[in-house]
């Protein structure tokens, strides 16, 4: 059973408790939002659909270009990062971070939160 | 099997065009939503069609509606009315036709009854929110959900074509809601006819538009020529567009570029984030490729 | 190398992915995911990014087929795919009238973005409750018989039917080319 309330709590804690993180969203692999803490300017549904599309393309690349199982999709812009990771079966986690974020630390935090969320949605 | 949807997505004239176009038979249920305007026509109304023509209006919560209309007219003795009520189980022809046969009503009276039913239908055009469901009748003249046959007790035996209904319905519409006015034709647009000939009578302003619907004259020009106000011409044109009589076309271009009407093009351009995208595909595909591909498809599949 | 790009768009479950799989010479690059909404009553998988197929004509010429997702929330993919296209096909499943309005939205979306040769392909015409082409046209808001795109029947899982629909689209291009 997916418990939206607690998922949302965990996401909220993650976003407000981790430095340089601006938002996060959990979406189904077919692009429906499950739970999200996003900047007000972002549309939840569009963001969800885009994250799912991007991760699925990444997975295809991993397979077709023999890169193995994809750990994450990492999009770096001059204003910040967006990272998409698989989170258990059929679920994608999107994390938005600002440019000051330290990559190594960011990945570590994401790994931690993914493990926690994956357990909750299992 | 049928079509259903929200009245926010399909307008009543559009649904009627589909019924007309396919010469469909069946029951069109119109359910007003609670959010919609307060109307005398609350709840569900069933419009019945035979081969694309309207033949009856029934309401699952108003039994013997046609009979109460007849009763109201006070021209049939109460004894005969009682007899008519008891017909319900055995009637095999429309009630109006039966009354004609029994010389209980004159032809004019029966026509009047149809008019009365139609008035209720016209008021449904006011609905801006609600649901519709068209249930196609099967070969036994029955619809499926709920299963029933044509309601003979609600039938006058007369019919009315959908174009006339749409035309009257749109005329009687006091206010066009935003969703409809979005399709308002531009003053610089022209009109073309979507029907070759017309069996219904047009009002003077409608006739002006109809006569000049040749794709060459803009609404502005028509206004100058006829001295009708441009706004009135626009709204009248919109009504005729909505019922499928006319279509808005650009007058400037020889062949319209897209399949969208100018007002729709403009609306879409406004609504989408960044309108017309620049096609990244470089130029045209060569005729050599097209020819080779046709051969390839013919030979391999 | 001259590449010719065709976009295949249209309603959820109309058969865009099947269409490309049926005709592509390579294993189609598809991005299908388990549907978690109402769509799963229709079928298990739904496209979330794109489908990609290919037909090589000769050493210099190739046809690429790009399929879009059907669901509205992926309309950013519609735009990405249509801007690369030279022509496109809108697939509508004729047996699901409740989705016609959605087809109309997709059609209008494409019309607002590009001005390209196109046709409408009616799939599932063999299924119970399928509508006739003329009725579907009206439901899509195409009231003018004389000025509307060609509407043809196509079975997305039948290769000769898919080939025929492509030929019909090519005829549109040839007309635009002269
Ligand atoms: N009976 C019948 N089945 C068809 C026809 N065309 C396609 N199909 C089937 O319809 C289904 C279409 O599914 P997809 O190809 O996944 O549809 P899609 O348009 O890619 O759907 P989304 O990606 O979810 O938008 C497949 O199971 C096809 O075999 C047809 O003409 N007749
Ligand atoms: Mg698909």
């Amino acid at each position: 059973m997916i418990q939206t309330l607690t998922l949302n709590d965990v996401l909220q804690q993650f976003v407000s408790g981790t430095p340089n993180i601006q938002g996060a969203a959990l979406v189904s692999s077919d692009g429906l939002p499950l739970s999200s803490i996003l900047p007000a300017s972002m549309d939840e549904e569009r963001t969800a659909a885009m994250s799912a599309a991007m991760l699925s393309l990444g997975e295809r690349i991993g397979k077709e270009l023999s890169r193995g199982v994809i750990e994450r999709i990492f999009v770096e812009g001059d204003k910040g990062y967006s990272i998409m990771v698989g989170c258990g079966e059929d679920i994608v986690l999107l994390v938005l971070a600002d440019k000051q974020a330290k990559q190594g630390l960011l990945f570590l935090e994401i790994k931690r939160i993914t493990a926690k969320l994956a357990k909750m949605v299992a | 099997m049928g079509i259903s949807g929200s009245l926010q997505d399909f307008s009543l004239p559009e649904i009627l065009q589909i019924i007309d176009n396919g010469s469909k038979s069946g029951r069109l249920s119109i359910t007003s939503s609670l959010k919609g305007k307060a109307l005398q026509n609350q709840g569900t109304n069933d419009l019945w069609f035979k081969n694309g023509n309207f033949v009856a209006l029934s309401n699952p919560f108003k039994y013997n509606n046609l009979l109460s209309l007849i009763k109201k007219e006070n021209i049939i003795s109460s004894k005969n009315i009682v007899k008519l009520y008891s017909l319900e189980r055995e009637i095999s022809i429309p009630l109006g036709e039966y009354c004609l046969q029994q010389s209980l009503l004159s032809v004019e009276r029966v026509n009047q009854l149809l008019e009365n039913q139609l008035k209720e239908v016209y008021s449904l055009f006011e609905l801006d929110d609600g649901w519709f469901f068209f249930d196609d009748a099967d070969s036994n003249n029955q619809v499926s959900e709920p299963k029933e046959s044509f309601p003979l007790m609600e039938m006058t035996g007369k019919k009315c074509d959908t174009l006339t209904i749409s035309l009257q319905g749109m005329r009687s519409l006091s206010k066009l809601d935003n969703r409809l006015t979005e399709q308002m034709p531009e003053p610089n647009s022209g009109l073309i006819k979507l029907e070759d000939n017309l069996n219904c009578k047009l009002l003077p302003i409608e006739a002006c538009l109809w006569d000049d619907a040749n794709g060459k004259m803009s609404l502005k020009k028509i206004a100058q020529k006829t001295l009708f106000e441009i706004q009135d011409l626009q709204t009248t044109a919109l009504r005729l567009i909505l019922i499928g009589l006319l279509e808005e076309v650009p007058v400037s271009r020889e062949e319209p570029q897209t399949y969208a009407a100018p007002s729709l093009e403009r609306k879409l351009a406004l609504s989408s984030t960044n309108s017309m995208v620049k096609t990244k595909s470089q130029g045209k595909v060569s005729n050599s490729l097209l020819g080779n591909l046709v051969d390839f498809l013919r030979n391999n599949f | 190398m001259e590449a010719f790009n065709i976009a295949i768009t249209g309603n959820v479950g109309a058969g865009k992915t099947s269409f490309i799989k049926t005709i592509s010479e390579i294993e189609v690059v598809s991005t299908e995911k388990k549907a978690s909404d109402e769509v799963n009553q229709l079928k298990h998988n739904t496209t979330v990014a794109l489908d990609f197929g290919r037909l090589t004509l000769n050493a210099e010429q190739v046809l690429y087929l790009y399929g879009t997702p059907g669901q509205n929330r992926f309309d950013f993919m519609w735009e990405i795919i249509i801007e690369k296209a030279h022509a496109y096909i809108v697939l509508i499943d004729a047996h699901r009238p409740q989705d016609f309005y959605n087809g109309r939205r997709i059609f209008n979306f494409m019309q607002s973005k590009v001005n390209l040769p196109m046709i409408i392909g009616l799939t599932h015409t063999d299924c119970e409750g399928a509508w006739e082409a003329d009725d579907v046209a009206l439901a899509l808001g195409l009231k003018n018989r004389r000025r509307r795109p060609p509407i043809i029947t196509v079975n997305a899982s039948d290769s000769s039917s898919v080939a025929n629909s492509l030929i019909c689209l090519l005829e549109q291009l040839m007309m635009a080319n002269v």
Side-chain angles (χ1 to χ4, degrees):
Chain A
M1 226 3 245
I2 299 173
Q3 293 160 310
T4 316
L5 213 152
T6 44
L7 277 181
N8 215 53
D9 290 346
V10 173
L11 278 188
Q12 179 73 63
Q13 273 172 20
F14 172 67
V15 173
S16 51
T18 322
N20 308 111
I21 297 227
Q22 298 170 312
L26 265 185
V27 310
S28 69
S29 62
D30 66 335
L32 289 169
L34 298 174
S35 174
S36 68
I37 310 287
L38 289 170
S41 61
M42 286 176 203
D43 183 85
E44 189 189 27
E45 288 205 345
R46 266 182 93 77
T47 312
M50 287 189 180
S51 313
M54 192 75 183
L55 186 65
S56 78
L57 277 177
E59 285 170 359
R60 273 317 286 224
I61 288 179
K63 197 166 133 203
E64 304 243 340
L65 309 183
S66 325
R67 300 301 94 181
V69 178
I70 291 294
E71 202 149 306
R72 69 180 80 86
I73 309 274
F74 183 65
V75 180
E76 180 173 358
D78 65 352
K79 297 206 179 76
Y81 309 99
S82 45
I83 302 109
M84 282 138 272
V85 290
C87 180
E89 279 268 303
D90 298 323
I91 293 185
V92 182
L93 173 71
L94 165 78
V95 175
L96 300 173
D98 64 25
K99 198 70 204 197
Q100 279 71 50
K102 297 268 174 304
Q103 265 187 41
L105 217 56
L106 191 61
F107 290 165
L108 197 70
E109 291 292 350
I110 291 178
K111 207 167 241 169
R112 221 177 262 158
I113 184 82
T114 327
K116 194 163 168 188
L117 289 166
K119 236 183 257 157
M120 292 177 71
V121 296
Chain B
M1 270 300 131
I3 180 175
S4 60
S6 159
L7 288 176
Q8 294 190 317
D9 295 340
F10 287 92
S11 67
L12 194 45
E14 278 178 328
I15 303 163
L16 292 178
Q17 277 166 59
I18 291 170
I19 293 173
D20 178 49
N21 183 63
S23 294
K24 291 182 187 295
S25 299
R27 177 188 57 206
L28 174 65
S29 304
I30 306 276
T31 309
S32 65
S33 90
L34 291 175
K35 282 183 295 170
K37 292 176 191 161
L39 269 183
Q40 64 217 63
N41 281 304
Q42 284 293 351
T44 297
N45 281 282
D46 292 338
L47 282 63
W48 294 81
F49 294 87
K50 254 206 180 125
N51 306 322
N53 290 307
F54 170 86
V55 292
L57 175 71
S58 70
N59 183 323
F61 301 104
K62 280 195 258 174
Y63 288 109
N64 289 324
N65 208 11
L66 188 60
L67 249 178
S68 8
L69 281 178
I70 297 176
K71 204 167 133 200
K72 244 194 259 161
E73 297 245 321
N74 243 340
I75 38 164
I76 298 184
S77 67
S78 18
K79 201 179 100 212
N80 278 329
I81 288 281
V82 173
K83 201 172 111 199
L84 288 179
Y85 269 107
S86 66
L87 267 179
E88 202 162 343
R89 286 177 191 285
E90 61 216 57
I91 195 161
S92 59
I93 55 169
L95 180 64
E97 207 175 314
Y98 179 87
C99 291
L100 269 179
Q101 272 184 11
Q102 304 288 313
S103 308
L104 294 171
L105 289 175
S106 65
V107 182
E108 292 73 40
R109 290 280 183 184
V110 175
N111 284 335
Q112 189 55 47
L113 285 174
L114 176 70
E115 269 312 307
N116 288 344
Q117 280 192 336
L118 286 172
K119 278 209 189 93
E120 289 190 41
V121 174
Y122 301 149
S123 72
L124 293 173
F125 281 70
E126 298 275 354
L127 284 179
D128 51 2
D129 195 5
W131 295 92
F132 73 91
F133 174 43
F134 184 76
D135 202 344
D136 282 295
D138 60 19
S139 48
N140 296 324
N141 271 333
Q142 289 206 318
V143 294
S144 53
E145 282 174 56
K147 197 165 177 70
E148 55 180 332
S149 310
F150 279 73
L152 293 168
M153 286 299 279
E154 301 295 352
M155 287 166 71
T156 55
K158 304 278 171 198
K159 60 184 186 189
C160 181
D161 63 283
T162 51
L163 185 61
T164 305
I165 296 181
S166 290
L167 191 57
Q168 280 295 351
M170 289 310 282
R171 280 178 190 155
S172 66
L173 201 55
S174 47
K175 198 181 155 292
L176 296 169
D177 69 46
N178 293 340
R179 192 173 47 87
L180 299 181
T181 52
E182 274 179 357
Q183 300 177 49
M184 186 78 80
E186 305 270 312
N188 287 324
S189 291
L191 298 167
I192 53 170
K193 299 183 173 74
L194 294 186
E195 298 278 332
D196 295 328
N197 34 36
L198 205 55
N199 299 323
C200 33
K201 262 193 103 115
L202 294 180
L203 302 174
I205 185 166
E206 292 165 350
C208 284
L209 290 169
W210 179 256
D211 293 340
D212 283 326
N214 51 18
K216 299 200 180 79
M217 198 146 126
S218 69
L219 282 167
K220 246 192 209 152
K221 284 245 176 68
I222 300 178
Q224 282 163 11
K225 180 179 136 186
T226 62
L227 302 178
F228 280 114
E229 292 289 333
I230 180 76
Q231 287 87 351
D232 294 342
L233 283 170
Q234 275 178 285
T235 33
T236 308
L238 173 61
R239 287 171 209 248
L240 298 181
I241 288 171
L242 291 171
I243 68 175
L245 269 187
L246 296 178
E247 185 181 51
E248 178 191 8
V249 291
V251 273
S252 46
R253 297 186 219 146
E254 270 291 283
E255 262 298 294
Q257 307 268 313
T258 64
Y259 297 107
S263 58
L264 178 68
E265 269 183 37
R266 186 208 49 202
K267 189 185 89 192
L268 290 168
L270 287 178
S271 64
S272 51
T273 40
N274 49 339
S275 55
M276 283 301 223
V277 294
K278 275 221 190 66
T279 340
K280 283 191 184 149
S281 47
Q282 298 297 311
K284 280 181 181 169
V285 191
S286 70
N287 278 330
S288 125
L289 192 157
L290 297 180
N292 287 341
L293 183 52
V294 171
D295 292 343
F296 184 91
L297 292 169
R298 289 227 168 96
N299 297 334
N300 290 285
F301 296 99
Chain C
M1 190 80 163
E2 186 185 6
F4 173 32
N5 301 332
I6 295 181
I8 311 295
T9 185
N11 277 350
V12 176
K16 302 174 292 297
T17 303
S18 317
F19 186 102
I20 296 179
K21 283 188 173 159
T22 298
I23 198 122
S24 174
E25 70 191 9
I26 53 166
E27 195 205 327
V28 170
V29 178
S30 65
T31 52
E32 297 206 276
K33 290 285 169 186
K34 201 168 89 196
S36 65
D37 51 5
E38 340 50 272
V39 173
N40 75 8
Q41 291 168 9
L42 219 64
K43 55 201 188 91
H44 281 301
N45 292 323
T46 188
T47 303
V48 299
L50 52 77
D51 306 307
F52 173 74
R54 189 183 70 198
L55 270 186
T56 311
L57 302 181
N58 50 47
E60 273 89 49
Q61 297 175 323
V62 59
L63 166 70
Y64 293 130
L65 290 161
Y66 293 89
T68 70
Q71 306 189 60
N72 284 334
R73 59 177 178 277
F74 296 108
D75 61 3
F76 59 92
M77 284 309 304
W78 300 354
E79 194 168 325
I80 291 173
I81 289 169
I82 202 67
E83 69 180 18
K84 285 207 278 300
H86 295 100
Y88 65 103
I89 300 181
V90 179
L91 293 182
I92 304 285
D93 37 350
H95 70 318
R96 288 171 43 83
Q98 60 271 41
D99 276 1
F100 291 161
Y101 186 73
N102 205 49
R104 175 150 138 187
R105 296 235 304 253
I106 297 175
F107 176 73
N108 285 346
F109 182 95
M110 297 303 165
Q111 290 277 298
S112 76
K113 296 291 175 194
V114 291
N115 174 18
L116 294 173
M118 58 91 49
I119 61 170
I120 292 176
L122 284 190
T123 61
H124 294 87
T125 50
D126 54 320
C127 296
E128 202 194 313
W131 279 37
E132 301 290 325
D134 278 349
D135 292 346
V136 178
L138 281 176
L140 293 177
L142 299 165
K143 293 177 191 167
N144 190 343
R145 267 168 209 272
R146 289 174 218 114
R147 195 168 78 84
R148 72 180 188 201
I151 303 181
I152 55 149
T153 295
V154 48
N155 184 336
S157 346
D158 178 85
S159 57
S160 66
S161 172
V162 168
N164 271 331
S165 69
L166 287 173
I167 291 172
C168 175
L169 180 66
L170 292 168
E171 282 163 0
Q172 292 294 109
L173 269 131
M174 288 170 174
M175 267 155 52
N177 258 5
V178 288

